[in-house]
Amino acid sequence: MKDKIIVFPASKWQSDLIKFLKKNNYYVYSLDDDNNADGHSFSNKRLEINSKDLKKIESFIKDNKCKIISCCSDLGQKFVDNLNNKKNNFFNKFQQRNIQKKNFLNIPLYFYGKNYNKKSFIDCQKKVISKPISGSGSNGLNYHNNFIKYKNKDLLYEQFIEGLEYNVDGFVFKNDIFIYAIMEKIKHSRFVSYIMKQNSLEAQIIKDIKLTLKKFILSSGYPNGPFHAEVIVQKDTNKIFIVESHPREAGFDLFFLTCKKITGLDLYQISVKAKLKKKLKLQDVTSKNLYNNYCCRMIPIKKNGIIQKIFFKKFTDNKKIKTYVNIFKKENDIIKNKNNDASRIGSIQSFSNDKKINLEKYTLEILKKYLIIKYC
């Protein structure tokens, strides 16, 4: 009899996980309240239970002897942890700051909503970021150079740190972390990035990033498995500040495509094994470092409306480059730029071992020449 697994949610970003599980002889239920969720088309069966009915889901898991997992989703990981009675503060930004403080890591001045006042604002040199305590996807982030305090008390106010920001993706295994990529982020706005590319950091800064994240991740009690973090290298001082970190994979292809191509690892295989508590070996999680030059270009929504057509025309890569394109939206989708991570319609990712090639420029040329989008 096949082992049974529930995947939640069942959006585009979980569809390949569902396909992988089916290919590896699992019986897969998709759980998502959205009737049109992509994953329902690929699972063995849609689980017809509302995601808010936790007792009913728990009974189903017990009666059918199945497990529930997620990937690439804060919402999904919180949901799975809740069902598995794992009490943690992995997604609580205020608690993340407290853990960093206890480990003597660099932290900005920070204040829980009810304790924030005008003096706090001045102490932060009149440059403040406000963010939801447990938000995600760049939703609800605001920058303030004037004193503002919202009625919502469940907010974190913290000093704005000036510097370059980086995505850091990797894997936790046996009280160590394995970094697969440190991607420099080029921002389209103060909070949303559309370019993630190979960093040009000095070796000592990379070492400092790993040490900082290792202290935080192990002190937080992350389980074996993928992690995604964002850090700032402070301007002038090169001090490392953690923006936030989570025990799950980066979405938008940044883990299961970008990191897969860089590392040469079967990331679905090792991620599923970790989630199901199956045996892993050191060689399974150690990067092969196949590429030293890469660029992921996210494609922003530049016009609101209904998509009539969207596709890439065929193109031939430079012989020294391997490029992958992906469209996140489809015909008849209503799109609107909300200045958050979801305001992306696709991606272009290029990989090479020739560091002289400017892949940021190369992916821009592909975008301009080969993406076709028409609106109704």
Side-chain angles (χ1 to χ4, degrees):
M1 183 179 290
K2 293 182 179 181
D3 290 338
K4 300 173 184 177
I5 293 183
I6 300 169
V7 174
F8 174 85
S11 75
K12 173 182 176 64
W13 304 114
Q14 289 77 45
S15 293
D16 283 343
L17 172 62
I18 291 171
K19 294 175 188 176
F20 171 85
L21 290 169
K22 285 183 65 179
K23 185 178 178 180
N24 284 270
N25 209 34
Y26 290 95
Y27 189 91
V28 185
Y29 297 95
S30 55
L31 175 60
D32 198 306
D33 298 334
D34 181 357
N35 292 330
N36 298 313
D38 290 358
H40 294 321
S41 301
F42 303 109
S43 66
N44 294 99
K45 187 175 181 180
R46 177 182 177 180
L47 191 58
E48 300 280 356
I49 303 176
N50 190 289
S51 64
K52 292 181 181 179
D53 196 342
L54 296 182
K55 288 186 178 180
K56 198 169 184 179
I57 295 170
E58 287 173 345
S59 295
F60 182 88
I61 290 173
K62 184 178 180 180
D63 294 343
N64 291 273
K65 297 180 181 179
C66 59
K67 296 182 179 180
I68 182 166
I69 63 174
S70 184
C71 74
C72 305
S73 169
D74 286 355
L75 172 67
Q77 196 59 52
K78 292 175 192 176
F79 186 85
V80 170
D81 287 348
N82 189 26
L83 280 171
N84 290 330
N85 294 312
K86 292 181 179 178
K87 306 300 180 185
N88 54 60
N89 294 309
F90 294 153
F91 297 92
N92 184 307
K93 294 181 177 63
F94 188 76
Q95 293 302 325
Q96 286 190 28
R97 289 285 180 252
N98 289 342
I99 292 169
Q100 292 158 25
K101 186 176 182 179
K102 287 179 182 178
N103 282 275
F104 304 100
L105 301 177
N106 298 314
I107 53 172
L109 289 174
Y110 65 103
F111 305 89
Y112 192 68
K114 65 180 181 180
N115 300 322
Y116 180 68
N117 54 39
K118 198 162 188 178
K119 181 181 181 303
S120 310
F121 174 70
I122 294 170
D123 289 342
C124 291
Q125 300 178 358
K126 299 183 178 181
K127 293 181 179 180
V128 169
I129 300 290
S130 64
K131 58 181 74 172
I133 293 291
S134 59
S136 59
S138 299
N139 292 301
L141 299 180
N142 290 289
Y143 171 79
H144 310 281
N145 53 17
N146 291 301
F147 177 70
I148 295 175
K149 184 173 181 177
Y150 297 106
K151 291 182 179 180
N152 179 8
K153 294 181 180 179
D154 195 26
L155 291 175
L156 176 66
Y157 295 84
E158 59 184 33
Q159 182 181 6
F160 174 72
I161 302 298
E162 189 173 354
L164 286 178
E165 189 169 325
Y166 299 83
N167 279 355
V168 186
D169 293 284
F171 206 88
V172 182
F173 181 64
K174 289 188 175 180
N175 293 316
D176 201 359
I177 67 169
F178 295 77
I179 291 180
Y180 294 158
I182 300 177
M183 308 179 197
E184 180 183 342
K185 300 170 71 172
I186 299 178
K187 296 197 172 185
H188 177 74
S189 66
R190 192 176 292 278
F191 301 116
V192 181
S193 304
Y194 287 106
I195 300 291
M196 277 71 77
K197 64 179 184 177
Q198 171 66 45
N199 72 79
S200 56
L201 293 168
E202 296 175 359
Q204 184 58 51
I205 297 177
I206 292 174
K207 185 177 178 180
D208 291 344
I209 289 173
K210 179 174 181 179
L211 181 61
T212 297
L213 285 173
K214 183 176 178 178
K215 284 183 178 179
F216 171 73
I217 285 171
L218 297 186
S219 295
S220 299
Y222 278 27
N224 285 346
F227 74 86
H228 170 70
E230 296 166 14
V231 303
I232 291 174
V233 178
Q234 189 178 36
K235 185 179 179 181
D236 298 329
T237 70
N238 284 339
K239 289 181 179 179
I240 311 303
F241 289 79
I242 299 174
V243 178
E244 59 183 4
S245 178
H246 301 124
R248 51 89 176 159
E249 310 85 348
F252 297 98
D253 287 336
L254 290 172
F255 188 74
F256 287 116
L257 176 57
T258 318
C259 290
K260 177 183 177 182
K261 296 302 174 184
I262 294 167
T263 63
L265 300 177
D266 189 340
L267 295 184
Y268 274 114
Q269 183 74 260
I270 65 172
S271 296
V272 167
K273 281 188 174 182
K275 294 173 195 293
L276 299 179
K277 310 282 189 220
K278 294 193 174 184
K279 187 176 181 180
L280 281 169
K281 298 177 182 178
L282 181 62
Q283 65 192 47
D284 297 331
V285 303
T286 304
S287 176
K288 299 173 186 175
N289 298 313
L290 299 184
Y291 290 102
N292 57 27
N293 186 15
Y294 58 86
C295 178
C296 174
R297 176 179 292 276
M298 296 293 173
I299 305 168
I301 295 173
K302 289 190 174 181
K303 179 181 176 181
N304 300 336
I306 302 173
I307 295 176
Q308 183 183 63
K309 287 184 179 180
I310 183 168
F311 63 94
F312 279 97
K313 293 190 292 185
K314 289 185 178 181
F315 62 90
T316 302
D317 252 336
N318 178 309
K319 291 182 179 179
K320 294 183 178 181
I321 302 171
K322 184 65 178 177
T323 299
Y324 302 84
V325 297
N326 193 0
I327 298 292
F328 305 159
K329 305 296 181 181
K330 55 184 181 295
E331 293 178 8
N332 298 317
D333 277 354
I334 300 171
I335 60 173
K336 184 177 181 180
N337 192 326
K338 298 180 180 179
N339 195 32
N340 60 14
D341 289 348
S343 297
R344 299 162 169 169
I345 58 173
S347 69
I348 305 167
Q349 299 203 39
S350 292
F351 302 83
S352 177
N353 277 315
D354 187 341
K355 288 191 173 183
K356 294 180 181 179
I357 298 176
N358 186 334
L359 293 180
E360 184 179 344
K361 181 179 179 181
Y362 182 79
T363 54
L364 180 59
E365 290 173 353
I366 291 174
L367 173 62
K368 289 180 176 179
K369 290 181 181 179
Y370 301 106
L371 177 67
I372 302 297
I373 179 168
K374 295 182 179 180
Y375 296 83
C376 294

